[in-house]
Amino acid sequence: MYWELLFHQNTIYPCTYAALPYLVEIALKAESPDILLDIFITCGIFEASSENAPHLDVPSEFLRDQTQLEPETLREICLEYRRAILLLTEQTESLLHQVSMGEHEADKRYILAADAAFRGDKDIANMLLTFSEGDEYVTVCPTCEQSIYIWPDEEEDVLYGYEEDPVFHDKGKRLSIIAKRPDMTNDSGLQELYQRALAIGDKKLLAHLPYLAGELNCCSCGTPIQVWKGLFP
């Protein structure tokens, strides 16, 4: 149901908005915390992909699919969707605490992505979902639009930049990144993600964030690049 009817090929649909409140109801009534966690993550993926911008009365998915609904029904679907998102958001702290106790290690980045989506930081949510394994990031030079591939060293938690995608090319010469403390930047989204990663104990992301908050010189034009900003071209 999730991946065929409600979220197919990174796209959500009007029925996704209508179904989500029922999923949240199941999650909140479930005796198993794993069910709540699963639905929290899944609905976070839906919200990250949603075009339900605050300034839109009607999510663009309804306009895209030319959904024929009475205005009152449409308003009710949108209202219940927003209420359900708020109910899930209220579960965030308890879920972060639950996961910090040592279980669900593989789910941590997805939990952080869902949390970011529910807080309205959809760019960060989608960045975490795009680079969900933490084995590669891609930043873009603002001057020449050169893509730089950020990979961790195989033997240590250090990130380096590469001109070519190491998946298809030898890594070749690597570019050093000047790491910075994420909590000392002026980017509130990055600061919040760092605090959440601390709370949940995501060791891999905590090791990467100083480099994602850092700087390197573009391999093509030499321009200093702020890695974090380049993740969101």
Side-chain angles (χ1 to χ4, degrees), residues 130-164:
T130 299
F131 307 120
S132 59
E133 299 299 321
D135 55 0
E136 179 186 28
Y137 304 87
V138 181
T139 192
V140 177
C141 175
T143 301
C144 68
E145 299 185 351
Q146 168 74 41
S147 294
I148 299 177
Y149 301 89
I150 310 295
W151 276 61
D153 185 271
E154 296 178 356
E155 298 180 358
E156 53 182 332
D157 290 325
V158 177
L159 300 185
Y160 292 96
Y162 298 90
E163 184 175 4
E164 303 285 351

Side-chain angles (χ1 to χ4, degrees), residues 64-121:
R64 178 198 68 204
D65 294 353
Q66 300 181 335
T67 307
Q68 301 298 315
L69 290 173
E70 294 294 329
E72 182 177 347
T73 302
L74 179 55
R75 285 194 296 270
E76 182 179 358
I77 289 173
C78 294
L79 180 61
E80 291 303 318
Y81 177 88
R82 293 189 181 98
R83 285 176 176 168
I85 291 294
L86 289 175
L87 288 173
L88 276 182
T89 304
E90 292 172 358
Q91 305 300 313
T92 301
E93 298 300 332
S94 62
L95 286 174
L96 290 177
H97 176 71
Q98 170 192 331
V99 174
S100 70
M101 302 305 289
E103 298 182 4
H104 305 285
E105 189 69 31
D107 292 330
K108 287 184 175 180
R109 191 164 297 217
Y110 290 99
I111 296 167
L112 293 173
D115 169 53
F118 296 147
R119 289 187 286 104
D121 284 333

Side-chain angles (χ1 to χ4, degrees), residues 22-32 35-36 39-40 88:
Y22 294 98
L23 293 175
V24 174
E25 183 179 2
I26 292 171
L28 297 179
K29 289 182 177 180
E31 295 183 2
S32 169
I35 294 176
L36 171 58
I39 293 178
F40 181 89
L88 276 182

Side-chain angles (χ1 to χ4, degrees), residues 13 22 42 47 67 82 146 178 180 204-205 212 226:
Y13 305 92
Y22 294 98
T42 301
E47 176 64 4
T67 307
R82 293 189 181 98
Q146 168 74 41
I178 301 173
K180 295 187 176 182
K204 177 182 285 188
L205 184 58
L212 298 181
Q226 294 181 320

